[in-house]
Amino acid sequence: MSRRPSAEKTPPPFDAPTVIRMKRDGGRLPDAAIDWVIDAYTAGTVGDEQMAALLMAIFLRGMDAEEITRWTAAMINSGPRLDFADLRGPGGKPLTLVDKHSTGGVGDKITIPLVPIIVACGGAVPQASGRGLGHTGGTLDKLETIPGFSAELSVAQIRDQLAGIGAAIFAAGELVPADRKLYALRDITATVDSLPLIASSIMSKKLAEGTRSLVLDVKSGSGAFLQDPAEAARLASTMVGLGAAYGVPTRALLTDMSVPLGRMVGNAVEVVESVQVLAGGGPPDVLELTLALAAEMLDLAGLDGRDPADTLADGTAMDAYRALVRAQGGDPDAPLPTGACTETVIAPDSGVMGDIDALAVGRAVWRLGAGRTAPGDAVAAGAGIELHRRPGEPVAAGQPLFTLSADTAERLAPALAELDGAWSIGALPPPPRRLLLGRVEE
Ligand code: URA
């Protein structure tokens, strides 16, 4: 009797329960196990429930530096790595590519004024960006409230925009497919606030997007994913090290996220506030952080020709913003959506506004519909909160403190409940807070 040649495929080198068990029991994941699990999850042969268990094990047990580096590399390898070294800008000059990424916060709209400032100063920004995560807002969710604006750009369009107008802000989805899936899964499995998972998520996108230098805004405080400043500093060092390992000079500013940034928190309302900054106004804290990050980016990229503040004063940053919005299909002059239902919290007493808890405001805005409860949910463009008083500002009884906006009235009460106990009015101003806490570089 002759034997037929075996048609069996080589069995996979690992299986998900074994990999989960290794991490659950506090072990190190071997390089090959990391490569296999990221590949298999991206391809769909490891399921969401298995990856959710592994993410929770990583959340609880952590990863060492080598594991984080390999996990990040495996994520980068799940998609293409963009390279714009051949591109030339107007006049045939090579592009100076530089980008920024924030670890996430409440009212953090800084990318929207920052990218046009860098363009006006001679830089080019290829920005792979994200949607809202947990209680924090996402730049793409905000920009997509501009009628017509699309963040789903092809590589050809990113290249055209970089060469033509110096910037593209695009969904990172196709670039790092592993992050697209992991990001959505972390959002609904309480596994966002983990140093290795944040570092690999951010750096996989930034190292794949084709930037040549990178500035990170690493936040701590109640509204940040890593609330402890010392842990945030460790996150910053990990990401700066990953950038260096890939030959992308990377620096981080450590910044405070105990109170929301600016006066507007939500989707369309944050575009409104960003345009105020571009028009030469805007809240002082938003302006301070925007200019501090701009200065770091220009220094790291070796662009010393212009003072970023001048680009706000002379309108060149606004011109760059309008060109960017138009290039991505948006109408910079179209009215932005507003919530149909509003409720205003009135000051019960006179005095000075105390601290306003960033996490509570982030959760309130999420309850108003600005964020997601399931992957792929649509977000409400008009959901948001206006802070009429910032910490330290005087207030008289009867004056408005917060205006909440939502698409439907039933969203207001749960959002109001989140704000309970999150603010106070006192006789004295709260102790002054520093927004810029430190800086980490190689
Ligand atoms: N931003 C990201 O891109 N990923 C995270 O995990 C957190 C913030």
Side-chain angles (χ1 to χ4, degrees), residues 101-104 133 179 183 186 192 197-199 201-202 205 225:
H101 197 89
S102 145
T103 55
L133 191 62
D179 186 59
Y183 197 85
R186 287 167 59 214
V192 171
L197 297 178
I198 297 173
S201 165
I202 292 179
K205 291 189 283 268
F225 289 127

Side-chain angles (χ1 to χ4, degrees), residues 154-176:
S154 66
V155 174
Q157 191 171 350
I158 296 168
R159 292 176 64 82
D160 280 355
Q161 280 188 216
L162 285 172
I165 58 156
I169 301 181
F170 51 96
E174 295 311 313
L175 197 55
V176 189

